[in-house]
Amino acid sequence: MAASWEYETNNNITTSRVLFLRGIRINPDSSKLWLEYFKLELLWITKILERRKIYFKENFLGDEINVQISDLILVNENDIEKEVVDIPHLKEESDIKHNLYLDDPSVAQSTTHDDSAIISKSKELSEIQKSILDLKIPRIIFRNAIAAIPTSLPLRIQFLQIYKSLRSTFTKEAENEIYESILSDFRLDPKARSFLATHSFFGKLESEKEISASEYFPQMVKTCVKEFEKCCQDDELMSTSGMSIIDEYINFLETWMKICEEEFMLQYFELLLKNLCQRSEQLSLLSTSGFKIWADLELKSNNNTAKTILNRGLKLYPNSSLLWLNFLEIFKQKQNEDIIQNEDEIENLFMEACKIIKDVDERWIVWDAFLKWTTERGSNYMKEAWPFERVLKLALRHDEMGSTPYEIGILERLLDYSYSQLGLQIFMQITNNLITKKERKPKFFENCIRIVSREVHVKNEIVRKFYDLMIRSNVKREESYLAALEFELSQNDMNRSQQLMTKGPGFAQSNHVGVYSDLKTIGKGTYGTVYKATHSKDGEHVALKKLLLWDIDYDGLPITVLREIKLLKELNCVNIVKVLDVVVEDIYM
């Protein structure tokens, strides 16, 4: 911020450089500092070139430039600060290793040289001007940045983006240096090699549609294909990351195939994709997404070929939900065309997939698709032949029951589905079935309550039943009592609220007030008196609030008291008194 302020407000490039250098010395691993300093130097170079364009009709930048520098062009040299701000040495810098970056004469001069010499109106270039206009300082910044942060590919790409933003040919050599560094340092990284292969598309301001419609598009694609083929011939790369680089290649072709509208280019992409997938399968380097893309291409003309490809893919990747769903999609399309009359074939395929897939996450995806498919079949089928037991067994095997979060998530999805598609009656049958077969945890009943509470017409007895079951599933769980208490308060049922207060954990630990001694009055109010007291067993000091309950037999506990207790039990803050106990004795609470 300080460096930016010096440049933007004071127009003092020298002090700004000094501040950036200090920040980099202290934080050499900060990508942001390196990039911002890099931008500063490029902006300054742009300013010099624009001035020379005005003074001497030189045009280094070309006609198109995408940098906001109009305010810099109008700066008067006399307004520029000639003095460098004296920046004191910081203690943090004392133990910092000397940076080779400062050894370069160009950098040293840039931090001490008078700015007027750099922006002078003399046509003859000084040594420092030549150095600056050759992009020497930005290139030194880049080299030192990658020395400080050697493993960051995104950092190098960001440097390239800044060069590209100038939209000028004078940065070409500097850009090539970055490309060469990526190839040298990330030769076996598939993401880096993919970036290099497609770099002709990088930094374009046109939209993808505009690029695909341009006359240069076919040549650009062929250049990229040539580079990807080079990657496929790199034995070391293919032995370490062959499948990944092929995935990058396939994704490149598929992406531009979807964007392109020219028929001859579409045929070219399709031919390349099929050929690449076939070669990759022979090398055992075709991934699940590769098999899917290949099958989708064949599906346009031949269903049987697509099925054959997916069958081969499933032999290699039997746990892939992606391939199973693609395979099932073919059968669903045939069903829509009335080629398959019996829907049981699709159901059997779903069941086969769930039985074969061992990975729970992948099975969940197929199982969820099965539920959606049964929804599409129509409510009559589901009500008459709802295969509840089979569906649940498909989702979770015996040894996976009780696992978290799979069982909870699957049961939640199943309950949601059964209620929304089959109605309350079937939903209650399913929940009763689940409860009788196995002891359920509070989370299960919370989901049941959430589902049935959606409808206003659902009777309170049904909701109350699930609250009671939730409490019984874990009688020590305080959250269950508080949730039930909130429900009863919303129904203005004071008797049930009072029963919950006396049963809940943490509400009736002491049974009587006599366990507290040394009562000293702290204060009195409208609703009762507050005492300071001591627990006779553990000696803990507490605040005791004594309330007078005038008509407890007739009205029950006042709703204001119940709500206050409930809220205090839910709150957990060092600045708020925690409720330890609630005791009702005679007409006091």
Side-chain angles (χ1 to χ4, degrees):
M1 289 179 66
S4 298
W5 182 83
E6 282 293 344
Y7 181 64
E8 294 169 7
T9 307
N10 289 346
N11 296 307
N12 193 330
I13 183 70
T14 308
T15 302
S16 185
R17 283 191 185 108
V18 172
L19 288 167
F20 267 122
L21 285 170
R22 163 162 290 176
I24 287 168
R25 276 200 300 270
I26 298 173
N27 304 284
D29 57 349
S30 170
S31 297
K32 186 174 178 60
L33 277 175
W34 285 109
L35 291 168
E36 290 299 322
Y37 185 24
F38 184 74
K39 287 180 190 176
L40 173 79
E41 292 296 352
L42 280 181
L43 266 178
W44 186 245
I45 292 167
T46 306
K47 176 177 180 179
I48 295 170
L49 293 176
E50 282 289 342
R51 286 178 177 277
R52 295 190 68 83
K53 181 179 178 181
I54 294 170
Y55 295 153
F56 312 119
K57 308 303 181 186
E58 296 174 348
N59 191 4
F60 289 87
L61 295 172
D63 295 328
E64 294 184 12
I65 181 165
N66 193 34
V67 181
Q68 301 295 324
I69 58 168
S70 55
D71 54 332
L72 300 179
I73 296 171
L74 299 175
V75 174
N76 190 316
E77 288 90 334
N78 296 326
D79 296 334
I80 297 177
E81 185 68 51
K82 299 294 190 289
E83 297 288 332
V84 179
V85 175
D86 184 21
I87 302 174
H89 188 76
L90 297 177
K91 184 191 294 185
E92 289 85 349
E93 295 178 277
S94 57
D95 297 327
I96 294 175
K97 202 173 181 181
H98 184 62
N99 196 329
L100 291 175
Y101 175 73
L102 297 176
D103 291 341
D104 191 279
S106 301
V107 180
Q109 288 182 39
S110 73
T111 59
T112 58
H113 214 289
D114 194 328
D115 293 343
S116 61
I118 299 174
I119 58 171
S120 95
K121 295 183 181 179
S122 171
K123 187 169 185 178
E124 180 113 16
L125 291 171
S126 66
E127 286 303 314
I128 188 171
Q129 284 180 320
K130 288 178 183 177
S131 174
I132 288 174
L133 296 183
D134 285 341
L135 296 178
K136 189 169 185 180
I137 293 178
R139 293 175 75 169
I140 293 169
I141 294 172
F142 167 73
R143 291 166 195 162
N144 280 266
I146 65 173
I149 313 172
T151 59
S152 175
L153 176 62
L155 176 63
R156 303 191 194 202
I157 294 175
Q158 284 176 294
F159 275 113
L160 265 174
Q161 285 173 328
I162 296 169
Y163 274 138
K164 293 283 187 185
S165 68
L166 293 177
R167 303 285 288 167
S168 176
T169 56
F170 90 107
T171 62
K172 195 72 177 174
E173 189 178 338
E175 290 175 32
N176 288 336
E177 179 184 5
I178 299 180
Y179 286 125
E180 289 168 8
S181 80
I182 292 174
L183 180 58
S184 172
D185 297 342
F186 297 91
R187 191 174 70 81
L188 300 180
D189 184 327
K191 290 287 184 187
R193 295 299 294 271
S194 175
F195 172 77
L196 292 174
T198 59
H199 80 268
S200 56
F201 287 94
F202 179 69
K204 299 290 184 185
L205 293 183
E206 299 88 353
S207 68
E208 291 177 336
K209 276 284 185 190
E210 291 171 333
I211 292 172
S212 66
S214 73
E215 59 181 309
Y216 306 108
F217 179 63
Q219 187 56 48
M220 291 168 69
V221 171
K222 287 180 180 179
T223 302
C224 294
V225 168
K226 185 178 178 181
E227 292 301 318
F228 271 118
E229 289 295 335
K230 284 183 183 178
C231 293
C232 293
Q233 292 167 14
D234 186 329
D235 293 338
E236 191 177 359
L237 174 64
M238 294 301 286
S239 65
T240 56
S241 309
M243 187 176 289
S244 297
I245 195 64
I246 286 171
D247 272 346
E248 295 286 341
Y249 192 0
I250 290 173
N251 289 336
F252 164 76
L253 294 173
E254 189 202 20
T255 299
W256 284 102
M257 184 180 179
K258 289 178 179 177
I259 297 166
C260 181
E261 295 178 352
E262 291 289 338
E263 187 62 33
F264 80 95
M265 285 302 294
L266 289 174
Q267 292 175 2
Y268 176 67
F269 279 123
E270 187 171 332
L271 185 65
L272 280 175
L273 273 169
K274 287 181 179 180
N275 180 268
L276 177 60
C277 290
Q278 190 172 17
R279 285 188 290 146
S280 302
E281 185 189 16
Q282 290 171 356
L283 296 170
S284 300
L285 293 175
L286 191 61
S287 67
T288 54
S289 60
F291 273 106
K292 181 189 180 302
I293 291 168
W294 189 10
D296 287 342
L297 289 171
E298 296 293 353
L299 192 58
K300 296 175 184 177
S301 56
N302 193 322
N303 278 359
N304 290 329
T305 305
K307 283 170 59 179
T308 302
I309 290 168
L310 289 171
N311 266 321
R312 295 205 301 263
L314 285 169
K315 285 181 180 178
L316 290 173
Y317 307 104
N319 282 317
S320 171
S321 60
L322 180 71
L323 294 181
W324 275 110
L325 292 179
N326 212 42
F327 190 70
L328 287 157
E329 194 61 36
I330 296 174
F331 281 89
K332 286 198 276 185
Q333 287 179 11
K334 289 174 69 178
Q335 174 193 337
N336 294 336
E337 296 166 4
D338 295 329
I339 295 174
I340 291 182
Q341 300 295 329
N342 191 355
E343 292 176 330
D344 289 342
E345 185 171 355
I346 298 176
E347 183 177 329
N348 290 335
L349 278 171
F350 269 115
M351 292 187 173
E352 182 185 356
C354 289
K355 287 175 182 175
I356 291 174
I357 297 174
K358 294 180 181 179
D359 184 272
V360 181
D361 290 325
E362 294 289 317
R363 196 185 322 134
W364 160 270
I365 296 170
V366 174
W367 182 79
D368 195 53
F370 179 41
L371 288 186
K372 290 175 183 175
W373 175 73
T374 54
T375 306
E376 296 166 1
R377 298 176 72 180
S379 57
N380 290 332
Y381 166 80
M382 289 184 289
K383 286 180 180 178
E384 292 174 10
W386 170 245
F388 168 71
E389 289 293 337
R390 286 184 296 164
V391 170
L392 186 59
K393 287 178 181 177
L394 288 176
L396 285 168
R397 293 166 190 176
H398 182 71
D399 59 337
E400 293 164 347
M401 290 290 185
S403 62
T404 304
Y406 303 115
E407 184 180 19
I408 292 173
I410 284 173
L411 289 177
E412 182 178 356
R413 178 76 180 88
L414 184 61
L415 292 173
D416 267 320
Y417 172 81
S418 62
Y419 183 78
S420 61
Q421 300 299 324
L422 309 177
L424 180 62
Q425 185 177 356
I426 302 295
F427 170 81
M428 293 302 292
Q429 290 177 13
I430 290 173
T431 53
N432 287 334
N433 191 324
L434 289 168
I435 293 167
T436 54
K437 285 186 174 297
K438 180 185 173 182
E439 185 177 327
R440 300 292 165 186
K441 295 181 179 179
K443 185 69 178 176
F444 173 83
F445 298 106
E446 280 183 0
N447 286 326
C448 294
I449 293 165
R450 174 184 57 78
I451 291 167
V452 297
S453 297
R454 294 175 188 164
E455 302 293 337
V456 179
H457 68 269
V458 174
K459 293 181 181 179
N460 287 342
E461 286 73 15
I462 294 175
V463 182
R464 189 169 283 130
K465 172 190 172 182
F466 285 122
Y467 274 117
D468 289 341
L469 289 169
M470 181 170 68
I471 289 172
R472 275 189 275 171
S473 67
N474 185 352
V475 292
K476 295 182 179 180
R477 185 174 182 261
E478 193 171 323
E479 292 83 354
S480 300
Y481 288 91
L482 290 171
L485 176 59
E486 184 174 5
F487 170 74
E488 298 300 349
L489 289 173
S490 69
Q491 303 302 312
N492 292 318
D493 191 327
M494 296 301 104
N495 288 329
R496 288 188 64 87
S497 298
Q498 185 175 340
Q499 290 172 17
L500 288 166
M501 292 288 293
T502 56
K503 291 179 181 178
F507 285 117
Q509 297 169 2
S510 304
N511 298 320
H512 59 89
V513 181
V515 297
Y516 297 103
S517 59
D518 300 330
L519 273 66
K520 296 179 182 178
T521 304
I522 296 175
K524 293 184 178 181
T526 305
Y527 298 104
T529 306
V530 179
Y531 301 91
K532 180 181 178 182
T534 304
H535 196 285
S536 58
K537 291 184 179 179
D538 56 24
E540 184 180 6
H541 295 293
V542 298
L544 194 67
K545 188 172 184 180
K546 192 174 183 181
L547 304 174
L548 179 62
L549 309 175
W550 292 102
D551 296 313
I552 188 169
D553 293 332
Y554 182 75
D555 295 328
L557 295 174
I559 190 170
T560 54
V561 173
L562 291 171
R563 283 179 176 154
E564 179 184 352
I565 294 168
K566 176 186 171 294
L567 288 171
L568 287 172
K569 290 293 285 183
E570 289 176 342
L571 293 171
N572 184 17
C573 177
V574 292
N575 298 317
I576 298 175
V577 176
K578 187 174 179 62
V579 175
L580 301 174
D581 196 0
V582 177
V583 179
V584 178
E585 198 169 275
D586 297 328
I587 61 170
Y588 293 100
M589 180 180 184

